[in-house]
């Protein structure tokens, strides 16, 4: 079985196409939009949500069956249909046009797969079983959701702000590293989670930042 290379793609402003208009296609469209993709959907029928997105100018909708040539000029494509012939045709075209392709629930036909993941602000944690057990990936994701709560959204936001401050204030790279190491490996996050710390950024500045 093929082994996938883990990677995070920047699709902001990139043209993406989804073949299919059902609930699965809708979820793929929503995930692409969340990351800034410019989305076109091609399907004879679409969910009400996809129709609304099209009417509001969020996506382009083309109400017809897939035709050869539809993947041309797109960077990434999802195929969410039950039509094996369409799947095969899309795979052939994607390889010709060098388009990254995912055929839903058909890992052998995919140029990429999407891992189970959780999002906490700018923190993304992804889990993959290399296509062998999506259910196990789902279980691990659920375990991670309880271990990494919404406090990580705030913590990472604060750490990003502190990073800019430290880079502007301290030239010594070892001093910077020591500063962040002390915070990340401290009990600050646990105490914030328990409600012992109200203003996380202010607490860190007062406790760890010496200028």
């Amino acid at each position: 079985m093929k082994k996938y290379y883990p990677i995070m793609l920047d699709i902001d402003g990139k043209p993406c196409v989804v073949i299919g208009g059902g609930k699965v296609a809708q979820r793929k469209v929503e995930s692409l939009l969340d990351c800034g993709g410019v989305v076109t959907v091609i399907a004879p029928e679409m969910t009400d949500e996809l129709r609304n997105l099209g009417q509001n100018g969020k996506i382009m909708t083309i109400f017809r069956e897939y035709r050869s040539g539809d993947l041309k000029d797109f960077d990434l494509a999802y195929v969410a249909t039950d039509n094996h012939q369409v799947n095969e045709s899309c795979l052939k075209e994607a390889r010709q046009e060098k388009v990254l392709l995912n055929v839903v629930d058909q890992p052998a036909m995919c140029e990429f797969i999407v891992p189970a993941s959780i999002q906490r602000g700018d923190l993304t944690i992804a889990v993959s079983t290399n296509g062998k057990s999506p259910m196990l990936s789902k279980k691990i994701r659920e375990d991670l959701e309880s271990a990494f709560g919404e406090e990580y959204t705030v913590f990472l936001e604060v750490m990003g702000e502190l990073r800019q401050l430290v880079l502007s204030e301290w030239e010594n790279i070892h001093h910077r590293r020591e500063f962040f190491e002390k915070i990340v490996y401290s009990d600050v996050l646990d105490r914030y989670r328990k409600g012992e710390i109200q203003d996380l950024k202010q607490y860190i500045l007062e406790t760890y930042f010496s200028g």
Side-chain angles (χ1 to χ4, degrees):
M1 183 176 182
K2 71 174 77 172
K3 187 172 183 179
Y4 292 92
Y5 183 72
I7 190 170
M8 305 288 279
L9 288 177
D10 176 10
I11 63 167
D12 187 37
K14 302 291 179 61
C16 307
V17 63
V18 176
I19 309 298
K23 286 292 185 181
V24 174
Q26 178 186 315
R27 290 198 296 272
K28 303 305 181 185
V29 168
E30 291 168 347
S31 68
L32 292 170
L33 290 176
D34 283 344
C35 294
V38 180
V39 182
T40 297
V41 178
I42 302 175
E45 298 291 336
M46 299 184 194
T47 65
D48 291 340
E49 289 81 358
L50 289 175
R51 287 175 178 270
N52 289 336
L53 286 172
Q55 291 169 0
N56 292 329
K58 302 295 184 181
I59 63 174
M60 177 178 289
T61 52
I62 300 175
F63 290 89
R64 61 166 172 75
E65 298 283 358
Y66 160 81
R67 298 173 186 166
S68 178
D70 279 345
L71 303 190
K72 185 177 176 59
D73 298 326
F74 287 99
D75 290 336
L76 182 150
Y78 274 108
V79 180
T81 77
D82 295 325
N83 189 317
H84 183 71
Q85 184 176 351
V86 168
N87 295 348
E88 289 283 358
S89 296
C90 286
L91 177 60
K92 181 180 179 180
E93 182 179 350
R95 288 175 174 171
Q96 290 174 341
E97 298 294 338
K98 303 295 188 291
V99 177
L100 286 174
L101 178 76
N102 179 287
V103 180
V104 175
D105 291 333
Q106 300 291 331
M109 303 179 74
C110 293
E111 300 293 334
F112 72 97
I113 58 175
V114 180
S117 65
I118 66 171
Q119 197 82 32
R120 297 292 184 261
D122 287 319
L123 173 65
T124 301
I125 303 175
V127 180
S128 173
T129 57
N130 214 40
K132 290 186 176 179
S133 180
M135 187 58 67
L136 179 58
S137 293
K138 179 175 180 290
K139 167 65 167 57
I140 295 173
R141 185 203 68 201
E142 291 170 349
D143 291 343
L144 290 171
E145 284 177 336
S146 61
F148 294 86
E150 289 299 334
E151 66 275 5
Y152 278 86
T153 300
V154 178
F155 185 62
L156 188 55
E157 188 68 28
V158 168
M159 293 299 285
E161 294 174 3
L162 290 173
R163 184 172 186 272
Q164 295 303 314
L165 177 61
V166 168
L167 288 176
S168 66
E169 293 285 335
W170 297 343
E171 294 184 3
N172 190 311
I173 190 171
H174 300 293
H175 196 182
R176 297 175 190 166
R177 180 184 178 88
E178 183 180 276
F179 171 74
F180 288 116
E181 189 172 22
K182 282 181 179 178
I183 299 169
V184 171
Y185 287 93
S186 73
D187 63 351
V188 167
L189 187 55
D190 286 334
R191 293 181 60 198
Y192 177 72
R193 182 189 293 117
K194 295 174 182 176
E196 297 176 11
I197 299 173
Q198 299 303 313
D199 189 325
L200 186 59
K201 182 178 180 180
Q202 188 62 35
Y203 176 83
I204 292 174
L205 286 173
E206 292 176 353
T207 306
Y208 297 96
F209 189 76
S210 57

